[in-house]
Amino acid sequence: MNKDFLDLAQWSRDELESLLTLATELKAAPEKFSQILAGKSLAMIFKKSSTRTRVSFEVGMFQLGGQAVFMSSAHTQVGRGEPLEDTARVLSRYVDGIMIRTFEHSEVVTLARHATVPVINGLTDFLHPCQVLTDIFTIKERLGLALSDLSGFKVAYIGDGNNMANSWINAALRFGLDLRIACPPGYEPDTTLLERVNQQADNGGQVAVVRDPLEAAKGAAVLNTDVWASMGQEDEAVERRRVFAGYQINEELLQIAGQKPLVLHCLPAHRGEEITASVFERYQDLIFTQAENRLHVQKALLVMLLKKEEKS
Ligand code: CP
Ligand code: NVA
């Protein structure tokens, strides 16, 4: 198993399946794991805002018997230009794992290369693997599916070809999903990832990038979206509202989707933009269960990474 969790593609399907199975056990009987990471610490570096990621990792470490140390870039030397190489080596002498949320994906890679403890990607401009792994867990849980049932499973992603779309492409490859992404021209997911789909087409995963949200949604079992302007793109918000108009989960899309489709949103949501208020409220139970599941899935991730560290 990889020392780190930076990218779904770094872990094999079997490893991810073990993680999801452990997450189910952790959700069902959290008390059984209440001391499994006793004495362990997780440093959490944030260069961007967060509600779910921060709280779920922090509470998750506490519920496993360990602790989390919140490091805002605004209040640590990270924000004053101390090289990540040095931060990695210092933190490795204090803590048992590092979670980081930042802009450039290369920073996460640098941190992991210089840290001797596991590093977890809590979101970069490129990927958000903890979220999409949780989304897969939520789909399986809600529909009572095995991982093997996801082969050919139709997922529509409506909106920006951003970190969420990129991570869904990795999930499509790992789990054999039939993923259709609807986005405007110029806002496609990462080209290298799309090329990887063509190279690995034999594993069953398929990804199509289309322009028409209706085409993506047709027959889909899951409709999924994310904000039109991600963190760091605030200056583009007005232009993006114009470009993305129509890239919205609404009644029309629900009508054309498969029977009883699921609607997922990683949150935060902008009602009236990527999803209508009425669709959001109809699916609020599922969407907030999805948010809750970040806790259970990341606890499984922490156990797998930090316990492994103890044995080595
Ligand atoms: N979905 C998600 O990662 O939420 P936060 O930005 O609040 O962490
Ligand atoms: N694409 C969004 C995801 C937030 C969880 C962002 O990066 O801001």
Side-chain angles (χ1 to χ4, degrees):
M1 197 175 82
N2 201 295
K3 168 177 88 67
D4 309 303
F5 184 72
L6 309 186
D7 181 339
L8 282 180
Q10 284 183 318
W11 284 38
S12 71
R13 185 190 158 98
D14 285 351
E15 288 164 347
L16 293 172
E17 183 158 25
S18 302
L19 193 159
L20 294 174
T21 303
L22 181 57
T24 305
E25 291 167 17
L26 274 155
K27 185 169 182 177
E31 67 285 356
K32 283 192 195 158
F33 300 86
S34 67
Q35 291 305 311
I36 198 163
L37 294 184
K40 304 265 182 195
S41 299
L42 177 76
M44 307 193 302
I45 303 172
F46 281 93
K47 288 197 179 182
K48 286 179 175 174
S49 303
S50 169
T51 297
R52 281 144 288 269
T53 304
R54 177 181 174 181
V55 178
S56 55
F57 270 109
E58 193 160 334
V59 171
M61 276 304 286
F62 177 75
Q63 291 182 356
L64 295 167
Q67 65 158 356
V69 181
F70 175 65
M71 298 175 61
S72 152
S73 60
H75 298 102
T76 53
Q77 302 291 4
V78 170
R80 297 184 60 250
E82 181 168 13
L84 279 171
E85 290 86 335
D86 293 354
T87 304
R89 288 181 286 183
V90 169
L91 292 179
S92 295
R93 291 175 181 236
Y94 296 140
V95 300
D96 306 283
I98 305 170
M99 196 284 300
I100 176 166
R101 166 169 288 196
T102 189
F103 294 86
E104 293 282 322
H105 190 74
S106 60
E107 290 189 5
V108 175
V109 175
T110 300
L111 189 77
R113 191 175 302 132
H114 292 88
T116 55
V117 297
V119 172
I120 298 171
N121 178 1
L123 179 148
T124 63
D125 290 345
F126 180 43
L127 294 171
H128 195 4
C130 294
Q131 180 67 58
V132 173
L133 193 57
T134 301
D135 300 350
I136 295 290
F137 177 87
T138 305
I139 293 168
K140 281 175 77 279
E141 177 186 57
R142 186 56 63 115
L143 299 178
L145 301 177
L147 208 51
S148 54
D149 297 327
L150 295 184
S151 186
F153 189 79
K154 287 186 168 41
V155 175
Y157 176 95
I158 312 297
D160 190 20
N162 60 14
N163 43 14
M164 285 297 298
N166 288 337
S167 293
W168 271 103
I169 293 174
N170 279 337
L173 286 175
R174 268 289 167 269
F175 304 123
L177 304 175
D178 178 357
L179 173 66
R180 273 168 284 163
I181 297 170
C183 63
Y187 294 86
E188 292 83 5
D190 182 75
T191 329
T192 316
L193 286 179
L194 289 170
E195 280 164 12
R196 198 188 286 171
V197 176
N198 293 331
Q199 287 154 13
Q200 297 182 7
D202 57 340
N203 85 349
Q206 294 181 48
V207 181
V209 176
V210 299
R211 298 294 169 222
D212 183 358
L214 289 169
E215 187 183 341
K218 195 170 179 191
V222 175
L223 299 177
N224 185 22
T225 189
D226 185 17
V227 290
W228 290 344
S230 285
M231 289 181 278
Q233 296 171 335
E234 289 77 9
D235 292 351
E236 300 171 32
V238 172
E239 169 69 357
R240 282 172 171 266
R241 254 179 237 128
R242 186 187 65 73
V243 172
F244 281 93
Y247 286 87
Q248 180 187 65
I249 300 189
N250 52 30
E251 294 300 334
E252 199 184 3
L253 256 62
L254 282 178
Q255 290 303 319
I256 203 167
Q259 289 245 312
K260 295 191 180 166
L262 302 186
V263 172
L264 295 179
H265 196 308
C266 65
L267 300 175
H270 291 189
R271 292 164 178 80
E273 293 191 7
E274 75 277 0
I275 189 165
T276 61
S278 63
V279 172
F280 184 91
E281 286 309 322
R282 196 163 342 134
Y283 285 90
Q284 59 83 24
D285 177 65
L286 177 61
I287 291 168
F288 291 114
T289 299
Q290 178 188 3
E292 177 194 328
N293 285 340
R294 290 289 300 279
L295 175 68
H296 310 299
V297 170
Q298 288 163 195
K299 280 170 75 179
L301 182 62
L302 290 166
V303 169
M304 285 182 79
L305 287 175
L306 273 56
K307 275 299 276 184
K308 176 178 162 264
E309 183 71 6
E310 187 181 51
K311 281 183 212 142
S312 61

